[in-house]
mmCIF file of all heavy atoms in Angstrom:
data_model
loop_
_atom_site.group_PDB
_atom_site.id
_atom_site.type_symbol
_atom_site.label_atom_id
_atom_site.label_comp_id
_atom_site.label_asym_id
_atom_site.label_seq_id
_atom_site.Cartn_x
_atom_site.Cartn_y
_atom_site.Cartn_z
ATOM 1 N N PRO Q 43 -9.458 209.754 330.926
ATOM 2 C CA PRO Q 43 -9.567 209.939 332.388
ATOM 3 C C PRO Q 43 -9.604 211.429 332.733
ATOM 4 O O PRO Q 43 -9.012 212.261 332.045
ATOM 5 C CB PRO Q 43 -8.290 209.283 332.924
ATOM 6 C CG PRO Q 43 -7.865 208.324 331.859
ATOM 7 C CD PRO Q 43 -8.291 208.938 330.554
ATOM 8 N N THR Q 61 -9.947 205.903 339.662
ATOM 9 C CA THR Q 61 -10.501 204.553 339.487
ATOM 10 C C THR Q 61 -9.455 203.523 339.924
ATOM 11 O O THR Q 61 -8.269 203.837 340.104
ATOM 12 C CB THR Q 61 -10.885 204.313 338.019
ATOM 13 O OG1 THR Q 61 -9.731 204.527 337.198
ATOM 14 C CG2 THR Q 61 -11.990 205.261 337.577
ATOM 15 N N GLY Q 76 2.759 217.759 333.244
ATOM 16 C CA GLY Q 76 4.054 218.443 333.358
ATOM 17 C C GLY Q 76 3.995 219.936 333.162
ATOM 18 O O GLY Q 76 3.085 220.626 333.638
ATOM 19 N N SER Q 153 -25.462 218.432 331.545
ATOM 20 C CA SER Q 153 -26.022 219.534 330.741
ATOM 21 C C SER Q 153 -27.369 219.984 331.295
ATOM 22 O O SER Q 153 -27.617 221.178 331.466
ATOM 23 C CB SER Q 153 -26.191 219.098 329.276
ATOM 24 O OG SER Q 153 -24.955 218.812 328.679
ATOM 25 N N GLU Q 189 -5.444 211.127 311.989
ATOM 26 C CA GLU Q 189 -4.109 211.170 311.379
ATOM 27 C C GLU Q 189 -3.602 212.610 311.315
ATOM 28 O O GLU Q 189 -2.452 212.905 311.675
ATOM 29 C CB GLU Q 189 -4.154 210.551 309.973
ATOM 30 C CG GLU Q 189 -2.808 210.568 309.263
ATOM 31 C CD GLU Q 189 -2.874 209.951 307.871
ATOM 32 O OE1 GLU Q 189 -3.728 209.077 307.624
ATOM 33 O OE2 GLU Q 189 -2.069 210.371 307.018
ATOM 34 N N ARG Q 223 -31.613 215.517 306.050
ATOM 35 C CA ARG Q 223 -31.591 214.516 307.122
ATOM 36 C C ARG Q 223 -30.246 214.451 307.845
ATOM 37 O O ARG Q 223 -30.195 214.209 309.045
ATOM 38 C CB ARG Q 223 -31.925 213.130 306.546
ATOM 39 C CG ARG Q 223 -33.377 212.984 306.105
ATOM 40 C CD ARG Q 223 -33.746 211.565 305.742
ATOM 41 N NE ARG Q 223 -33.230 211.159 304.439
ATOM 42 C CZ ARG Q 223 -32.153 210.418 304.238
ATOM 43 N NH1 ARG Q 223 -31.447 209.993 305.258
ATOM 44 N NH2 ARG Q 223 -31.769 210.091 303.027
ATOM 45 N N GLY Q 255 -46.088 220.320 326.095
ATOM 46 C CA GLY Q 255 -46.689 219.288 325.234
ATOM 47 C C GLY Q 255 -47.073 219.839 323.871
ATOM 48 O O GLY Q 255 -46.880 219.191 322.839
ATOM 49 N N GLU Q 256 -47.615 221.070 323.867
ATOM 50 C CA GLU Q 256 -47.981 221.703 322.593
ATOM 51 C C GLU Q 256 -46.729 221.980 321.759
ATOM 52 O O GLU Q 256 -46.742 221.832 320.534
ATOM 53 C CB GLU Q 256 -48.747 223.000 322.850
ATOM 54 C CG GLU Q 256 -49.226 223.662 321.575
ATOM 55 C CD GLU Q 256 -50.027 224.936 321.799
ATOM 56 O OE1 GLU Q 256 -50.085 225.432 322.954
ATOM 57 O OE2 GLU Q 256 -50.600 225.442 320.810
ATOM 58 N N PHE Q 296 -28.308 203.015 306.119
ATOM 59 C CA PHE Q 296 -26.975 202.540 306.498
ATOM 60 C C PHE Q 296 -26.151 203.760 306.938
ATOM 61 O O PHE Q 296 -25.649 204.509 306.101
ATOM 62 C CB PHE Q 296 -26.315 201.832 305.309
ATOM 63 C CG PHE Q 296 -26.995 200.546 304.923
ATOM 64 C CD1 PHE Q 296 -28.226 200.551 304.268
ATOM 65 C CD2 PHE Q 296 -26.420 199.325 305.237
ATOM 66 C CE1 PHE Q 296 -28.866 199.366 303.928
ATOM 67 C CE2 PHE Q 296 -27.046 198.132 304.896
ATOM 68 C CZ PHE Q 296 -28.276 198.147 304.240
ATOM 69 N N ASP Q 333 -49.133 196.419 322.292
ATOM 70 C CA ASP Q 333 -49.180 197.502 323.292
ATOM 71 C C ASP Q 333 -49.278 198.855 322.591
ATOM 72 O O ASP Q 333 -50.077 199.720 322.988
ATOM 73 C CB ASP Q 333 -47.927 197.476 324.177
ATOM 74 C CG ASP Q 333 -47.862 196.237 325.063
ATOM 75 O OD1 ASP Q 333 -48.926 195.779 325.504
ATOM 76 O OD2 ASP Q 333 -46.749 195.737 325.296
ATOM 77 N N ILE Q 366 -54.410 220.377 323.223
ATOM 78 C CA ILE Q 366 -53.233 219.967 322.454
ATOM 79 C C ILE Q 366 -52.029 219.790 323.381
ATOM 80 O O ILE Q 366 -51.184 218.911 323.160
ATOM 81 C CB ILE Q 366 -52.928 220.981 321.315
ATOM 82 C CG1 ILE Q 366 -51.835 220.462 320.375
ATOM 83 C CG2 ILE Q 366 -52.544 222.337 321.859
ATOM 84 C CD1 ILE Q 366 -52.231 219.289 319.531
ATOM 85 N N ASN Q 390 -42.192 207.512 322.206
ATOM 86 C CA ASN Q 390 -40.854 207.033 322.574
ATOM 87 C C ASN Q 390 -40.671 205.564 322.215
ATOM 88 O O ASN Q 390 -39.617 205.158 321.709
ATOM 89 C CB ASN Q 390 -40.607 207.228 324.076
ATOM 90 C CG ASN Q 390 -40.584 208.695 324.460
ATOM 91 O OD1 ASN Q 390 -40.257 209.551 323.654
ATOM 92 N ND2 ASN Q 390 -40.931 208.994 325.704
ATOM 93 N N ASP Q 401 -32.522 193.599 315.750
ATOM 94 C CA ASP Q 401 -32.146 192.627 316.791
ATOM 95 C C ASP Q 401 -33.097 192.755 317.981
ATOM 96 O O ASP Q 401 -32.703 193.147 319.083
ATOM 97 C CB ASP Q 401 -30.689 192.864 317.233
ATOM 98 C CG ASP Q 401 -30.147 191.720 318.098
ATOM 99 O OD1 ASP Q 401 -30.779 190.648 318.127
ATOM 100 O OD2 ASP Q 401 -29.097 191.920 318.747
ATOM 101 N N THR Q 447 -63.288 231.795 313.255
ATOM 102 C CA THR Q 447 -64.290 232.656 312.634
ATOM 103 C C THR Q 447 -63.612 233.913 312.093
ATOM 104 O O THR Q 447 -62.452 234.202 312.411
ATOM 105 C CB THR Q 447 -65.334 233.080 313.681
ATOM 106 O OG1 THR Q 447 -64.655 233.830 314.711
ATOM 107 C CG2 THR Q 447 -66.006 231.871 314.308
ATOM 108 N N LYS Q 533 -47.362 225.903 296.346
ATOM 109 C CA LYS Q 533 -48.697 226.176 295.783
ATOM 110 C C LYS Q 533 -49.371 224.893 295.309
ATOM 111 O O LYS Q 533 -50.578 224.725 295.449
ATOM 112 C CB LYS Q 533 -48.585 227.114 294.561
ATOM 113 C CG LYS Q 533 -48.285 228.550 294.892
ATOM 114 C CD LYS Q 533 -48.157 229.381 293.620
ATOM 115 C CE LYS Q 533 -49.503 229.779 293.039
ATOM 116 N NZ LYS Q 533 -50.166 230.814 293.874
ATOM 117 N N ASP Q 535 -49.500 220.489 294.501
ATOM 118 C CA ASP Q 535 -49.163 219.193 295.100
ATOM 119 C C ASP Q 535 -48.208 218.416 294.196
ATOM 120 O O ASP Q 535 -47.675 218.954 293.217
ATOM 121 C CB ASP Q 535 -50.444 218.399 295.404
ATOM 122 C CG ASP Q 535 -51.225 218.011 294.142
ATOM 123 O OD1 ASP Q 535 -50.662 218.100 293.016
ATOM 124 O OD2 ASP Q 535 -52.394 217.595 294.276
ATOM 125 N N ARG Q 585 -21.573 226.929 318.097
ATOM 126 C CA ARG Q 585 -21.141 227.390 319.405
ATOM 127 C C ARG Q 585 -19.653 227.223 319.661
ATOM 128 O O ARG Q 585 -19.229 226.895 320.752
ATOM 129 C CB ARG Q 585 -21.904 226.655 320.505
ATOM 130 C CG ARG Q 585 -23.383 226.619 320.261
ATOM 131 C CD ARG Q 585 -24.182 226.027 321.380
ATOM 132 N NE ARG Q 585 -24.133 226.776 322.602
ATOM 133 C CZ ARG Q 585 -24.660 227.972 322.778
ATOM 134 N NH1 ARG Q 585 -25.243 228.580 321.778
ATOM 135 N NH2 ARG Q 585 -24.590 228.580 323.932
ATOM 136 N N THR Q 593 -22.197 240.357 328.503
ATOM 137 C CA THR Q 593 -21.352 240.641 329.664
ATOM 138 C C THR Q 593 -21.560 239.582 330.747
ATOM 139 O O THR Q 593 -22.697 239.189 331.021
ATOM 140 C CB THR Q 593 -21.729 242.020 330.251
ATOM 141 O OG1 THR Q 593 -21.788 242.941 329.181
ATOM 142 C CG2 THR Q 593 -20.714 242.478 331.268
ATOM 143 N N PRO Q 597 -28.179 239.743 332.833
ATOM 144 C CA PRO Q 597 -29.374 238.924 332.557
ATOM 145 C C PRO Q 597 -29.305 238.304 331.161
ATOM 146 O O PRO Q 597 -29.786 237.210 330.932
ATOM 147 C CB PRO Q 597 -30.540 239.924 332.656
ATOM 148 C CG PRO Q 597 -29.999 241.127 333.329
ATOM 149 C CD PRO Q 597 -28.520 241.137 333.144
ATOM 150 N N LEU Q 686 -58.460 234.509 303.096
ATOM 151 C CA LEU Q 686 -57.880 235.791 303.508
ATOM 152 C C LEU Q 686 -58.918 236.769 304.044
ATOM 153 O O LEU Q 686 -60.023 236.885 303.520
ATOM 154 C CB LEU Q 686 -57.150 236.445 302.326
ATOM 155 C CG LEU Q 686 -56.042 235.622 301.658
ATOM 156 C CD1 LEU Q 686 -55.407 236.401 300.512
ATOM 157 C CD2 LEU Q 686 -54.976 235.213 302.674
ATOM 158 N N SER Q 691 -52.446 238.753 303.555
ATOM 159 C CA SER Q 691 -52.170 238.879 302.126
ATOM 160 C C SER Q 691 -51.230 237.753 301.708
ATOM 161 O O SER Q 691 -50.520 237.180 302.550
ATOM 162 C CB SER Q 691 -51.538 240.242 301.821
ATOM 163 O OG SER Q 691 -51.453 240.437 300.418
ATOM 164 N N HIS Q 699 -33.001 226.847 292.832
ATOM 165 C CA HIS Q 699 -31.755 226.273 293.358
ATOM 166 C C HIS Q 699 -30.647 226.409 292.316
ATOM 167 O O HIS Q 699 -30.800 225.987 291.173
ATOM 168 C CB HIS Q 699 -31.934 224.796 293.727
ATOM 169 C CG HIS Q 699 -30.667 224.184 294.254
ATOM 170 N ND1 HIS Q 699 -30.083 224.614 295.428
ATOM 171 C CD2 HIS Q 699 -29.847 223.229 293.751
ATOM 172 C CE1 HIS Q 699 -28.970 223.927 295.627
ATOM 173 N NE2 HIS Q 699 -28.796 223.079 294.626
ATOM 174 N N THR Q 703 -21.268 225.454 294.600
ATOM 175 C CA THR Q 703 -20.770 225.371 295.977
ATOM 176 C C THR Q 703 -19.819 226.530 296.233
ATOM 177 O O THR Q 703 -18.905 226.775 295.435
ATOM 178 C CB THR Q 703 -20.031 224.043 296.207
ATOM 179 O OG1 THR Q 703 -20.924 222.968 295.895
ATOM 180 C CG2 THR Q 703 -19.588 223.909 297.651
#
Side-chain angles (χ1 to χ4, degrees):
T61 57
S153 296
E189 179 180 332
R223 290 189 284 101
E256 183 178 9
F296 293 73
D333 293 325
I366 189 69
N390 295 333
D401 192 14
T447 62
K533 286 178 80 72
D535 65 15
R585 312 186 65 68
T593 312
L686 303 180
S691 189
H699 179 64
T703 303

